[in-house]
Amino acid sequence: MELLKGVSESVGLEPNYFSKALDLDSGLGRFIANLYPPCPQPELTMGIHPHTDPGFLTILIENGISGLQFLHNGKWWRVYAPPNELMVNIADQLEVLTNGKYKGAIHRATLYGKAMATRMSLAIAYGPCPDKVIRPASEFVNESHPPAYTALTYGECYELHLANAYSKITSLDYVLIQN
Ligand SMILES: O=C(O)CCC(=O)C(=O)O
Ligand SMILES: [Fe+2]
């Protein structure tokens, strides 16, 4: 995947580093369709609660009605994507593999974009094979950066994500090592 080559290079690694580390030849992509029906009081409604995505990258497109927000420095920032543009989110397994150098983006979907309009978004969550054990890669671990996450299979991480969909922001809360 070309995007992932750029991510590898951005941290000084060879372009295919992440594809190899994640065994992407047997990777799993999940397709997610979100439908947010018209709502008379959008300011009182949450489309999707705050969360991070499972996988390593998510690619998202919406139907021209905004609603996506990202948490940055304690504030929610609204995303205005031009029509037909793809948005790319960093997701959990890239955070674990880079030992926290890249952070899974905390985001939520609101219905503020346009009152009484139907919002739709389509996402593909790219992840490794469910059996693949993901742990901080040795390139990101040293004395001053000990492993910050325990090893889990991607399947286990995905189950945690689903099981805690409405109570925890991120399934990484379970694998984060409190140093
Ligand atoms: O609808 C959106 O903009 C966000 C959807 C989302 O975060 C997800 O499907 O994981
Ligand atoms: Fe998401």
Side-chain angles (χ1 to χ4, degrees):
M1 188 200 238
E2 290 303 308
L3 274 173
L4 210 51
K5 288 186 182 168
V7 178
S8 294
E9 288 177 321
S10 75
V11 287
L13 296 170
E14 59 101 3
N16 291 320
Y17 176 86
F18 283 120
S19 324
K20 285 190 206 145
L22 290 159
D23 278 344
L24 283 201
D25 289 345
S26 55
L28 179 72
R30 290 181 203 249
F31 179 77
I32 301 146
N34 301 299
L35 173 70
Y36 309 94
C39 172
Q41 289 183 289
E43 68 285 357
L44 299 181
T45 311
M46 185 57 67
I48 299 186
H49 70 108
H51 66 282
T52 59
D53 290 338
F56 55 89
L57 288 178
T58 307
I59 297 187
L60 183 77
I61 191 165
E62 62 188 12
N63 67 335
I65 296 180
S66 62
L68 181 63
Q69 296 185 337
F70 278 89
L71 190 62
H72 181 63
N73 288 343
K75 265 185 71 179
W76 288 102
W77 298 81
R78 208 158 143 173
V79 178
Y80 294 97
N84 305 321
E85 298 257 325
L86 299 175
M87 294 173 266
V88 180
N89 296 347
I90 300 285
D92 291 345
Q93 271 58 56
L94 207 50
E95 177 171 334
V96 175
L97 208 54
T98 61
N99 202 22
K101 195 171 176 98
Y102 270 105
K103 292 276 184 220
I106 298 176
H107 56 287
R108 66 184 185 181
T110 67
L111 305 181
Y112 299 167
K114 203 169 177 192
M116 299 310 290
T118 296
R119 176 166 190 265
M120 282 183 275
S121 68
L122 300 177
I124 300 185
Y126 289 98
C129 163
D131 294 339
K132 176 78 187 164
V133 176
I134 306 290
R135 59 166 58 84
S138 56
E139 286 81 354
F140 298 92
V141 174
N142 55 42
E143 236 171 68
S144 45
H145 298 96
Y149 308 84
T150 47
L152 274 192
T153 66
Y154 176 51
E156 287 167 324
C157 271
Y158 203 91
E159 290 300 315
L160 288 172
H161 169 79
L162 293 179
N164 295 289
Y166 293 94
S167 58
K168 290 262 177 195
I169 284 185
T170 158
S171 50
L172 294 188
D173 290 344
Y174 285 91
V175 293
L176 195 63
I177 296 169
Q178 309 290 342
N179 286 310

